[in-house]
Amino acid sequence: MASSGIRLAMAAVAGTLLLGNAALAKDTLDIVKERGRLVCGTSTGIAGFSMADDKGEWTGLDVDVCRALAAAIFDDPQKADFVPLSSKDRLVALQTGEIDVLPRTTTWTLGRDAGIGLDFTAVNYYDGQGFQVRRDLGVETIRELNGASICTVQGTTNELNLADYFRVNGMTYQLVTFQSIDDTVKAYESGRCDALTTDMSQLVSYRLKMAEPDAHMLLPGVISKEPLGPYVRQGDDVWFDIVRWTVFAMVNAEELGVTKANVDAIAETSDNPEIRRLLGLEGEFGKNLGLTNDWVARIVRHVGNYGESFDRNLGAGSPMQLPRGVNALWSQGGIQFAPPIR
């Protein structure tokens, strides 16, 4: 989900953030190591991406990024703490140092990547904004929403995407917004609006939690591009590289067939130079990041490769049952691609 409503507030604090970032000038990796734990920003509860169960245990595709970072740094995926953040507050929390990294269904946009002191690292999920309606509404396409009331969350570019799409197509609509996604979904489910709009993956997640999931349907098609992934603060190149290459390492591991089940055996027997570099058996790529050379082996051993994480949280092994689609590897018809470790 993308942010737009807080742009002015961010600009207003830009000057103070210069001073704040000076205080944060110490390398994030050093801060994390001294603290002994990683602090990650998450959603307030999006199934498949970041959600805590009744015991406070966090799971999801974004959570796995945090656990992979903790595994790479500490060899312990449990050394990660999670701070639930609303769409409105998530970027400010990263800017001010409340969290170390933000892997929270946050779209890569120019407005975020320049001018507000943040950097996007790598795409861990390609998404797009879609619509959900009640089946009895009798609507089967997005174009049939002309004149509809539409619920969405404040502080996201869902609003901008709606305005752009309806303007381009000569359509009208009534916008109904709420500060939290829970309030937005409740409003839609209670009939406050005709349609609910956000990223397609999130619509699937929210539909599963509704009282009558089968009474609702997703309309075909999307109206935007939403490449999602973790953000970090600008000015710390080492930390940027660690977060970016943690995502890339999981993708490369899947491509090379390295899994939780076989990582140790492959490390002992493989003579494939790509695998040997990946697992730290050749070269000093981990050392160049301030990590141990077996940092990727740690990630895969504790968390798995990208495909394992996807299947467990969003795919066949999850209630979401989402197809890989464009999130399949580039070699398997998708667009998930990671630069090589060499």
Side-chain angles (χ1 to χ4, degrees):
M1 225 193 282
S3 167
S4 62
I6 60 176
R7 290 281 304 280
L8 293 178
M10 289 180 178
V13 300
T16 56
L17 286 176
L18 291 176
L19 296 176
N21 284 340
L24 294 167
K26 190 173 185 179
D27 290 345
T28 306
L29 178 60
D30 291 337
I31 294 172
V32 170
K33 285 181 175 178
E34 289 175 8
R35 186 193 299 128
R37 300 191 68 81
L38 175 72
V39 181
C40 296
T42 64
S43 72
T44 53
I46 299 175
F49 288 92
S50 54
M51 176 171 281
D53 61 19
D54 54 6
K55 297 181 180 178
E57 181 69 19
W58 285 87
T59 58
L61 192 75
D62 291 338
V63 169
D64 278 356
V65 172
C66 290
R67 298 214 183 277
L69 283 166
I73 298 166
F74 301 112
D75 199 18
D76 185 349
Q78 297 304 315
K79 288 191 174 182
D81 295 328
F82 301 96
V83 179
L85 298 165
S86 68
S87 296
K88 179 173 64 69
D89 297 331
R90 56 187 163 172
L91 299 180
V92 175
L94 180 60
Q95 288 173 315
T96 57
E98 180 183 349
I99 57 177
D100 302 314
V101 61
L102 179 69
R104 185 212 175 277
T105 53
T106 303
T107 305
W108 185 9
T109 68
L110 175 59
R112 289 176 174 160
D113 218 17
I116 62 171
L118 302 180
D119 276 329
F120 184 85
T121 57
V123 177
N124 73 330
Y125 191 83
Y126 291 94
D127 212 337
Q129 184 175 332
F131 296 84
Q132 178 175 289
V133 298
R134 284 175 292 278
R135 292 185 184 277
D136 61 13
L137 188 65
V139 169
E140 296 183 355
T141 68
I142 296 174
R143 292 291 186 91
E144 293 177 69
L145 290 176
N146 188 25
S149 57
I150 301 175
C151 283
T152 195
V153 184
Q154 294 176 2
T156 72
T157 53
N158 290 338
E159 297 170 77
L160 177 61
N161 293 336
L162 278 173
D164 287 350
Y165 180 84
F166 278 73
R167 177 182 176 184
V168 167
N169 289 285
M171 298 163 60
T172 62
Y173 67 102
Q174 178 186 349
L175 183 65
V176 184
T177 64
F178 300 86
Q179 288 193 359
S180 76
I181 185 60
D182 288 340
D183 289 341
T184 305
V185 173
K186 288 177 183 176
Y188 161 77
E189 198 172 9
S190 68
R192 289 278 302 277
C193 49
D194 299 313
L196 171 66
T197 186
T198 185
D199 296 349
M200 288 291 279
S201 61
Q202 295 184 38
L203 291 175
V204 173
S205 170
Y206 303 140
R207 180 171 171 267
L208 290 175
K209 297 188 291 185
M210 291 182 176
E212 297 181 83
D214 291 340
H216 307 269
M217 60 181 284
L218 299 182
L219 296 180
V222 296
I223 64 170
S224 71
K225 297 179 291 185
E226 306 295 334
L228 310 176
Y231 275 83
V232 296
R233 287 181 292 278
Q234 284 181 352
D236 189 341
D237 291 345
V238 171
W239 186 243
F240 172 89
D241 285 340
I242 290 171
V243 176
R244 166 182 269 188
W245 281 93
T246 291
V247 176
F248 288 162
M250 295 177 72
V251 174
N252 275 321
E254 180 185 9
E255 184 176 342
L256 292 169
V258 181
T259 69
K260 287 182 73 172
N262 68 21
V263 59
D264 291 324
I266 284 183
E268 292 180 2
T269 61
S270 179
D271 59 3
N272 182 324
E274 287 188 277
I275 291 177
R276 292 182 64 81
R277 287 192 296 268
L278 179 82
L279 300 181
L281 301 171
E282 293 183 10
E284 294 191 337
F285 300 102
K287 182 179 179 181
N288 293 339
L289 291 171
L291 304 172
T292 59
N293 283 331
D294 68 342
W295 65 287
V296 179
R298 291 178 171 188
I299 290 172
V300 178
R301 187 179 299 118
H302 291 298
V303 181
N305 64 36
Y306 178 79
E308 290 177 296
S309 177
F310 187 101
D311 288 345
R312 179 170 64 245
N313 295 299
L314 298 173
S318 77
M320 302 276 285
Q321 295 289 302
L322 289 176
R324 284 290 289 269
V326 295
N327 289 288
L329 296 178
W330 67 279
S331 56
Q332 298 176 5
I335 59 176
Q336 267 297 354
F337 181 95
I341 295 178
R342 63 170 181 253

